[in-house]
Amino acid sequence: MQSRPLWLTLAPALFLLLWALGYSVAKIGLLYTDPMTLLALRFGCVVIIMGFLFAVLRPPLPKTRADFLHLAFVGFLIQAVYFGCCYYAFHEGIGAGTLALLMSFQPILVALIAPLWTSETVSRKSWIGLGLGLAGALLVIGSRTDIEPPTLLGLAFAAVALCGISGGSIWEKRFGLSHHPVTANLIGYGAGFIGILPALAIQDGFHIEWTGTFIAALAYLVIGNSVIAVGLLLAMIRAGDVSRVSALFFLVPPLAALAAWVSLGEVMPPLAWGGLALASMGVYLATRTGRDV
């Protein structure tokens, strides 16, 4: 049996850390500018980086127009829809930890839809793990409701963001978009940048406070989230079952809530630790390999 490459073994832990921290860092960045301006700066920097790498490495382009459009559509769903609506949810007062918790419903949507679009199946063991993970996420959400009641508009933005990340993950797996990462990111982030232009055009001004904290937050969002974390996510999707990869998102909420508590002062009640344990058990069952039960 062929052993797993080292990068694939380490990828889940690195992805979880970078992705979870991204919620708090994004909310910190939004203290100094508005959602679409932050996204435009973020996407613009990534496109410049990927454009430079493309010029140096000269990776192959998609062979067909359909492949190009698939890459662009995944980029639009993940970058413009997911990140855009997440930033608007932050702007409407949703906390970093709470938003991450709401995004934990993604594995459920993916597990329900993936068998209809891909050749994979979801085992009973995975369904049990998904159920435990969801229960853990709900426990953490419930423990913070009295402290930080979410707004209706913020929840609506979160719901659209959830659809964006779920749809992008499934579309990526369904059409087997195994293109060079530089090519995929250049097209994806280019599509994301174009996708936010209408929202950028209708906002009032482009105010930015160029502080050291803002520059550090933007650098993290560009390098840590956009280049490394998203690249790892797409690579893991291509290497394994989409429903199992998506189950990793059950561990993001507790980690994001902990990061928000440390960096933003968002309280993480004692009951939330029980949700963390339950979600961890769920993600273990949903992602482990071996014979089904």
Side-chain angles (χ1 to χ4, degrees):
M1 181 178 179
Q2 187 176 4
S3 60
R4 289 165 60 89
L6 179 61
W7 74 266
L8 190 57
T9 302
L10 299 177
L14 181 58
F15 166 77
L16 285 171
L17 178 62
L18 293 174
W19 198 267
L21 290 177
Y23 285 94
S24 293
V25 174
K27 193 161 187 181
I28 291 172
L30 289 171
L31 297 175
Y32 303 94
T33 188
D34 55 85
M36 289 301 103
T37 300
L38 180 58
L39 269 188
L41 288 171
R42 175 178 177 172
F43 293 168
C45 289
V46 176
V47 169
I48 291 172
I49 293 172
M50 290 301 158
F52 174 78
L53 292 176
F54 184 86
V56 172
L57 301 176
R58 296 191 178 276
L61 289 168
K63 295 181 179 179
T64 66
R65 181 182 179 184
D67 283 349
F68 182 92
L69 292 176
H70 286 318
L71 285 173
F73 187 57
V74 170
F76 171 77
L77 289 176
I78 294 179
Q79 312 307 335
V81 177
Y82 170 69
F83 283 115
C85 288
C86 278
Y87 283 19
Y88 274 131
F90 285 143
H91 190 65
E92 292 299 322
I94 299 294
T98 299
L99 184 63
L101 294 168
L102 294 173
M103 293 303 104
S104 69
F105 286 92
Q106 188 233 12
I108 299 298
L109 292 183
V110 171
L112 289 172
I113 300 173
L116 303 177
W117 281 34
T118 70
S119 58
E120 69 183 69
T121 58
V122 182
S123 66
R124 287 181 297 168
K125 179 175 61 182
S126 294
W127 277 112
I128 293 173
L130 291 170
L132 289 176
L134 177 60
L138 290 175
L139 183 61
V140 181
I141 292 173
S143 69
R144 301 189 73 246
T145 299
D146 292 338
I147 300 172
E148 183 192 67
T151 65
L152 184 59
L153 184 56
L155 289 174
F157 280 125
V160 178
L162 176 61
C163 292
I165 189 68
S166 301
S169 298
I170 294 173
W171 202 275
E172 171 80 18
K173 183 66 176 179
R174 172 66 177 83
F175 292 98
L177 305 179
S178 57
H179 297 279
H180 193 282
V182 171
T183 301
N185 282 329
L186 180 59
I187 295 174
Y189 279 98
F193 185 84
I194 294 172
I196 67 170
L197 288 180
L200 191 66
I202 63 175
Q203 72 176 20
D204 296 328
F206 304 95
H207 173 72
I208 304 173
E209 295 181 34
W210 290 101
T211 66
T213 301
F214 175 75
I215 293 173
L218 178 61
Y220 181 90
L221 293 173
V222 171
I223 303 299
N225 264 173
S226 295
V227 176
I228 300 177
V230 172
L232 287 173
L233 173 62
L234 297 180
M236 288 188 296
I237 289 172
R238 293 163 187 156
D241 289 347
V242 65
S243 58
R244 289 178 176 176
V245 171
S246 296
L248 290 171
F249 280 84
F250 278 134
L251 282 180
V252 172
L255 292 176
L258 180 60
W261 173 53
V262 173
S263 62
L264 298 170
E266 295 183 4
V267 178
M268 187 168 179
L271 185 61
W273 292 106
L276 169 60
L278 193 59
S280 299
M281 183 183 301
V283 75
Y284 171 74
L285 289 176
T287 59
R288 64 178 296 194
T289 58
R291 178 174 294 182
D292 294 339
V293 295

